[in-house]
């Protein structure tokens, strides 16, 4: 059980030239949402639509709405199912219907209270309601805290691929209450660790070492509480720094997709919900690491270190049984394809990656065959 470790509230800036905001990390932050909204300039009496899912709304919904009410906000709650298979235009229509019923105006606000799926859907709904209203992200899963809630990527899935329908829409605020991790299922916690490991591989060797030195990363109760706060601080800082350099993913921000190109193929071909996003990313990182090994971009020791860390987090490392030609076809439909070339993020050392668009089909097939 994660407790308040007397950690001071952290405020990590996302210093964009246009509409900068903060990532605020603090225990019991859900009780302070009203105060934080006032702090970022949201006025009392503003109409607020809170979008959540049953597993989050049940333990946290009442006190979240109480904090909004205490500061004079006119709040409404919409509860949606939040599995990856629910991340569709139909769910966006439900949010739009609730926005219409609540008479949301251009000065109104949507708040995503939940994991990455709720955050993606609410952000996209906010981006498209009245041509764009403000959104606040309040992530309650590890994966959403360290990754999905920061950076303004919003959207839903298409049958042909993940997140093909979406928009960039930066939040006014990201509020992280680490204590919500106490109600997170163990499998979801492990899935979030995949994104944390990703930051270690792409640009934070010291974070990678911190994770290596931990005895167990597969269960919240087995992870040192101070390490949890350190994970949140370093991961959110990494994401914020990269987003500031490249808000719309035209350059360096692409490195955040490490493990995701293969991961999205797994989610699409195996069916949304078969694997959690973080689980698919973990297998994707193994595959990307194997490509790096084939190309001699990094050595076998680094490949093994990554694999061992992923296994320590209780995440899958074996490539699933998928038809290789279907994999190739799915890769060509990925939203990161540019000029017909699939872009892979490939490591060339722990803490260092490069963007490659010259990976040959034969190399992909060899890689995946060796992982089976």
């Amino acid at each position: 059980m994660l407790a308040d470790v007397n950690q001071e509230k952290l405020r990590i800036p996302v210093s964009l030239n246009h509409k900068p905001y903060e990532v605020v990390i603090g225990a019991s932050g859900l009780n302070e949402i009203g105060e934080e909204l006032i702090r970022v300039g949201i006025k009392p009496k503003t109409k607020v639509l809170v979008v959540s899912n049953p597993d989050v709304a049940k333990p946290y919904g009442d006190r979240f709405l109480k904090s909004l009410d205490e500061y004079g906000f006119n709040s409404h709650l919409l509860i949606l199912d939040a599995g990856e298979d629910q991340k569709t235009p139909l769910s966006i229509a439900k949010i739009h219907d609730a926005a219409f019923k609540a008479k949301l105006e251009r000065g109104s606000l949507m708040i995503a209270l939940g994991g990455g799926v709720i955050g993606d859907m609410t952000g996209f709904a906010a981006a498209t309601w009245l041509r764009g209203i403000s959104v606040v992200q309040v992530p309650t899963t590890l994966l959403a805290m360290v990754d999905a809630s920061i950076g303004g990527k919003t959207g839903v899935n298409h049958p042909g691929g993940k997140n093909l329908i979406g928009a960039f829409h930066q939040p006014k605020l990201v509020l992280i209450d680490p204590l919500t991790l106490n109600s997170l299922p163990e499998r979801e916690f492990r899935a979030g660790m995949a994104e944390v490991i990703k930051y270690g591989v792409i640009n934070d060797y010291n974070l990678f070492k911190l994770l290596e030195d931990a005895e167990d990363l597969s269960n919240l109760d087995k992870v040192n509480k101070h390490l949890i706060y350190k994970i949140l601080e370093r991961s959110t800082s990494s994401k914020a720094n990269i987003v500031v350099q490249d808000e719309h993913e035209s350059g360096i921000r692409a490195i955040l997709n490490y493990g995701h190109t293969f991961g999205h193929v797994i989610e699409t071909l195996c069916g949304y919900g078969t694997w959690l996003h973080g689980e698919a990313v973990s297998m994707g990182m193994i595959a990307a690491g194997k490509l790096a090994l084939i190309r001699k971009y990094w050595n076998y020791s680094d490949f093994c270190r990554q694999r061992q860390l992923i296994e320590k987090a209780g995440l899958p490392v074996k490539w699933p049984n998928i038809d290789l030609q279907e994999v190739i076809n799915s890769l060509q439909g990925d939203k990161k394809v540019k000029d017909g070339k699939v872009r892979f993020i490939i490591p060339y050392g722990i803490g260092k990656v490069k963007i490659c668009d010259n990976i040959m089909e034969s190399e992909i097939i060899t890689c995946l065959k060796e992982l089976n």
Side-chain angles (χ1 to χ4, degrees):
M1 182 72 69
L2 183 63
D4 186 348
V5 293
N6 296 319
Q7 175 87 30
E8 285 188 20
K9 187 178 289 185
L10 296 172
R11 294 185 179 274
I12 297 167
V14 185
S15 304
L16 298 167
N17 291 328
H18 181 59
K19 296 184 178 179
Y21 57 95
E22 286 184 327
V23 179
V24 180
I25 304 173
S28 300
L30 293 189
N31 301 332
E32 301 168 6
I33 180 62
E35 177 184 349
E36 291 293 340
L37 291 185
I38 296 293
R39 193 173 187 276
V40 298
I42 307 295
K43 298 179 180 179
K45 297 185 179 179
T46 295
K47 295 174 183 176
V48 179
L49 176 63
V50 179
V51 183
S52 191
N53 61 287
D55 291 340
V56 174
K58 185 175 181 179
Y60 305 120
D62 287 345
R63 62 182 164 114
F64 193 78
L65 293 177
K66 181 181 178 182
S67 178
L68 291 171
D69 293 343
E70 285 176 349
Y71 281 83
F73 294 102
N74 182 1
S75 59
H76 306 264
L77 176 65
L78 172 65
I79 299 176
L80 296 176
D81 290 333
E84 191 70 35
D85 60 335
Q86 300 296 314
K87 203 167 130 183
T88 67
L90 180 60
S91 294
I92 300 301
K94 292 178 182 178
I95 301 176
H96 286 160
D97 288 345
F100 181 81
K101 184 177 180 180
K103 296 182 171 59
L104 295 197
E105 306 160 354
R106 285 192 170 173
S108 299
L109 172 72
M110 289 188 190
I111 300 179
L113 175 63
V117 170
I118 287 293
D120 281 357
M121 294 194 301
T122 306
F124 185 51
T128 50
W129 184 250
L130 301 178
R131 296 188 175 89
I133 66 172
S134 295
V135 66
V136 165
Q137 296 283 351
V138 185
T140 59
T141 67
L142 181 59
L143 189 148
M145 289 176 184
V146 302
D147 188 68
S149 64
I150 306 165
K153 275 189 175 183
T154 71
V156 295
N157 301 328
H158 181 274
K162 182 163 172 157
N163 295 330
L164 293 181
I165 307 166
F168 284 97
H169 190 57
Q170 299 291 348
K172 291 277 289 185
L173 166 74
V174 177
L175 179 65
I176 296 174
D177 183 345
L179 300 187
T180 59
L181 295 176
N182 287 325
S183 60
L184 189 65
E186 186 175 309
R187 185 182 176 193
E188 293 276 2
F189 177 78
R190 293 196 298 265
M193 285 304 307
E195 296 284 0
V196 176
I197 293 168
K198 175 193 78 176
Y199 288 114
V201 177
I202 66 172
N203 72 345
D204 193 342
Y205 181 85
N206 290 333
L207 174 59
F208 193 93
K209 276 294 296 174
L210 279 174
L211 299 174
E212 275 190 319
D213 292 341
E215 290 186 12
D216 193 323
L217 296 172
S218 66
N219 185 304
L220 178 65
D221 292 335
K222 296 178 181 178
V223 181
N224 179 280
K225 307 312 176 245
H226 292 279
L227 178 58
I228 292 293
Y229 281 85
K230 183 59 69 175
I231 282 170
L232 293 175
E233 179 182 5
R234 294 193 76 101
S235 298
T236 55
S237 295
S238 286
K239 180 70 179 279
N241 289 337
I242 292 171
V243 168
V244 168
Q245 294 177 66
D246 181 14
E247 181 178 356
H248 295 108
E249 199 174 301
S250 57
I252 190 175
R253 184 168 175 171
I255 70 173
L256 292 169
N257 292 317
Y258 179 59
H260 288 60
T261 303
F262 281 120
H264 287 171
V265 168
I266 293 171
E267 291 181 274
T268 300
L269 296 182
C270 293
Y272 297 126
T274 302
W275 296 101
L276 296 180
H277 176 65
E279 293 170 338
V281 167
S282 71
M283 291 181 276
M285 288 192 289
I286 293 291
K290 188 68 173 179
L291 276 180
L293 200 58
I294 290 171
R295 287 211 159 191
K296 297 183 170 62
Y297 287 159
W298 70 352
N299 57 43
Y300 185 67
S301 174
D302 286 340
F303 175 78
C304 290
R305 287 176 70 188
Q306 177 186 251
R307 183 185 179 105
Q308 288 163 2
L309 190 54
I310 290 171
E311 289 177 324
K312 182 188 288 188
L315 289 160
V317 295
K318 183 177 173 57
W319 184 260
N321 185 20
I322 310 173
D323 181 80
L324 292 180
Q325 190 55 53
E326 288 188 19
V327 171
I328 299 300
N329 293 342
S330 183
L331 285 170
Q332 285 297 327
D334 190 276
K335 64 183 183 297
K336 294 177 286 297
V337 170
K338 186 176 182 180
D339 298 327
K341 298 178 180 179
V342 183
R343 290 187 298 166
F344 290 93
I345 312 304
I346 305 295
Y348 59 104
I350 303 298
K352 298 177 289 184
V353 293
K354 62 170 66 175
I355 302 171
C356 293
D357 65 0
N358 62 347
I359 303 292
M360 295 181 293
E361 183 176 314
S362 60
E363 291 176 293
I364 297 171
I365 291 173
T366 297
C367 167
L368 298 184
K369 282 183 176 179
E370 291 185 8
L371 290 176
N372 279 331

